[in-house]
Amino acid sequence: MRRWHGGSVLAAVALTRGGNVTIPVDGGPRPALALVDGDDVCAAVRAYCDGTPFKSTEVLKDASWSVTTGDGVGLPGADGCVRALAEAVQPRLERDWPATRARFAVRDDYLAGCVAADFGLDAEGPDDPLFALLAEAVAARDAASPALAEYNRRRTLLPPARRARHYRDVCLKLLPAHPGALDSLAVALRHAGRARAAELVLARGAGRGLWPSPYQRPAHHAANLTARPLWAAGALPGLERLARRTAAFGRELAVELARRADALVVRQAEGLARRLPGAPGDDWGWDEVALLKHGEVPDARVAARFAETLAAVRAAGAFFNAKFSILQPGTEILPHCGPSNARLRAHVTVAAAAGASLRVGAPDAKRVEWGAAPLVFDDSFEHDVIHEGADPRIVLVLDAWHPELPPERRRFELYGRLS
């Protein structure tokens, strides 16, 4: 990718823990951008760039060039100056985030690359009740810590706007450069109706290299793997043979769904499902029955109640996670991304439903419906589901390693919680 900054060629940015911060800039009319304690970072960047005559600066002499698909083109003038300086300043300040918070005023537009951004969210304040739980979990660095489990349970109960404030004012204080924290903020903003703000956050994350693109946002990215939203069923060995056993799967699941007590059916609790506007009745939602997690049966009752299903999944050999997903009519699963591109996800249809469709990838990607053939996709790409039909959509969800991932890298601890 070629990147032209309209005359602004940035030198190294020198930051120190004490004193002021000086940003040397080649190609501008002043020798440096200086930040002093208490400055609003983005306001200082804009003030430095305001009126900068970059448009008259000769960038290329006796040269010709063209722009083709995939090229990056910087903005000339003050806008290009802001963009270029923000790219240099922000990552370096984030390396010492606690000191940055103490010394400089940081606002919403900081998260969007100094692009003017009004996220429409009031300040949450320092007394967020979830702050201590998340701080304890971060300090422990333990994915199985009780504090993290309680934090995850409580954050899903927050309404969308409150959740967005929490991610902005709490998560990004503790984890300023964490791709999952920034993605969670963007998803919550979108759920709260702040689509433009969410797009700014996503573009900023991609620009900082936190994810491959605004529409493929794994918290844990495995490098050098083919990336495409939808895959052929043949990419996962044994999947098509497994799909021929759906009648047996359906019989076992029907018995479980009919239980009045001691049932393994659990309501999905990530806060991603909502009722479609105008949907009739109150029986909407997204339920699951977990069969395998990281290759292990999570509950002794599963082995007895789903013997045929488990035998078929294990015989296929490739799958380390398996669960039934039951989506009720009138339900929308909001746009989100899976934890890593190190896996591919397969859906084997147990009960198709007219009116249920899946989108994977860019917002304008073609929606697909569930049919007899298995559906395979990379769920690290953004995806959502809409069910406007009348009957439940039931699929067997299976996870397998990306076929190009070398055996020595097929370790769950490398990619967070692959569930």
Side-chain angles (χ1 to χ4, degrees):
M1 176 183 290
R2 296 190 298 273
R3 188 181 297 272
W4 312 97
H5 282 306
S8 174
V9 182
L10 299 177
V13 181
L15 300 182
T16 60
R17 289 177 180 268
N20 297 329
V21 178
T22 301
I23 316 293
V25 182
D26 296 334
R30 303 174 219 170
L33 163 66
L35 300 178
V36 300
D37 290 352
D39 272 354
D40 180 295
V41 177
C42 292
V45 167
R46 291 195 195 96
Y48 178 90
C49 292
D50 185 37
T52 302
F54 276 71
K55 292 180 182 178
S56 62
T57 301
E58 186 174 52
V59 184
L60 300 173
K61 184 176 182 180
D62 298 327
S64 63
W65 57 285
S66 62
V67 181
T68 60
T69 301
D71 286 345
V73 181
L75 297 174
D79 287 342
C81 174
V82 169
R83 184 71 56 85
L85 276 179
E87 288 179 357
V89 172
Q90 293 192 16
R92 288 161 174 79
L93 293 180
E94 286 169 359
R95 291 174 189 171
D96 193 12
W97 184 255
T100 297
R101 296 290 302 185
R103 295 173 58 197
F104 303 109
V106 178
R107 303 183 315 194
D108 286 353
D109 50 4
Y110 180 87
L111 303 175
C114 285
V115 176
D118 174 13
F119 290 177
L121 303 171
D122 296 328
E124 191 62 33
D127 57 346
D128 188 303
L130 299 186
F131 186 94
L133 282 172
L134 184 58
E136 181 180 342
V138 170
R141 298 183 180 275
D142 181 5
S145 71
L148 184 59
E150 178 62 11
Y151 166 77
N152 285 331
R153 185 189 71 81
R154 290 172 61 179
R155 72 182 169 87
T156 62
L157 303 178
L158 300 175
R162 171 71 175 77
R163 194 181 309 158
R165 290 196 299 272
H166 168 73
Y167 287 129
R168 184 197 63 183
D169 296 338
V170 174
C171 288
L172 287 170
K173 288 181 182 178
L174 294 170
L175 302 165
H178 192 283
L182 200 64
D183 178 57
S184 293
L185 170 61
V187 171
L189 284 167
R190 185 181 285 163
H191 296 180
R194 307 292 302 179
R196 174 57 180 159
E199 293 303 313
L200 287 170
V201 171
L202 294 179
R204 176 63 183 144
R208 291 161 61 187
L210 297 185
W211 318 296
S213 81
Y215 303 114
Q216 188 191 18
R217 308 188 301 276
H220 301 271
H221 181 247
N224 303 318
L225 301 180
T226 297
R228 58 174 176 266
L230 294 171
W231 289 67
L236 300 181
L239 179 61
E240 292 173 310
R241 184 175 67 254
L242 179 65
R244 293 193 286 269
R245 302 286 301 280
T246 55
F249 307 160
R251 287 193 299 269
E252 290 183 329
L253 181 60
V255 173
E256 188 65 25
L257 293 175
R259 291 181 186 274
R260 294 184 177 274
D262 194 36
L264 296 167
V265 182
V266 176
R267 179 55 52 101
Q268 213 282 342
E270 292 185 17
L272 295 172
R274 69 180 179 188
R275 181 180 177 181
L276 284 171
D282 297 323
D283 188 19
W284 65 277
W286 177 18
D287 298 313
E288 295 182 343
V289 179
L291 304 175
L292 281 179
K293 288 187 176 181
H294 296 174
E296 302 293 332
V297 176
D299 190 308
R301 295 169 292 175
V302 171
R305 298 178 188 179
F306 294 95
E308 284 194 74
T309 304
L310 282 174
V313 171
R314 284 171 165 157
F319 305 105
F320 53 79
N321 287 335
K323 63 185 177 183
F324 286 110
S325 173
I326 304 104
L327 187 68
Q328 300 297 337
T331 305
E332 177 183 10
I333 300 176
L334 294 156
H336 64 287
C337 296
S340 178
N341 65 321
R343 75 177 184 193
L344 295 183
R345 173 156 284 190
H347 283 187
V348 174
T349 304
V350 177
S357 63
L358 168 74
R359 174 195 62 88
V360 187
D364 59 353
K366 182 180 179 180
R367 306 194 71 85
V368 295
E369 297 183 350
W370 288 269
L375 182 63
V376 179
F377 62 101
D378 180 342
D379 77 331
S380 69
F381 284 88
E382 182 179 283
H383 55 286
D384 66 65
V385 178
I386 297 175
H387 191 353
E388 299 174 299
D391 301 306
R393 181 233 60 181
I394 302 175
V395 295
L396 177 64
V397 179
L398 302 160
D399 292 332
W401 294 113
H402 191 293
E404 297 172 4
L405 190 71
E408 64 272 16
R409 292 170 61 191
R410 296 183 177 187
R411 305 201 310 272
F412 300 120
E413 64 271 17
L414 295 177
Y415 311 107
R417 185 174 59 88
L418 281 180
S419 59

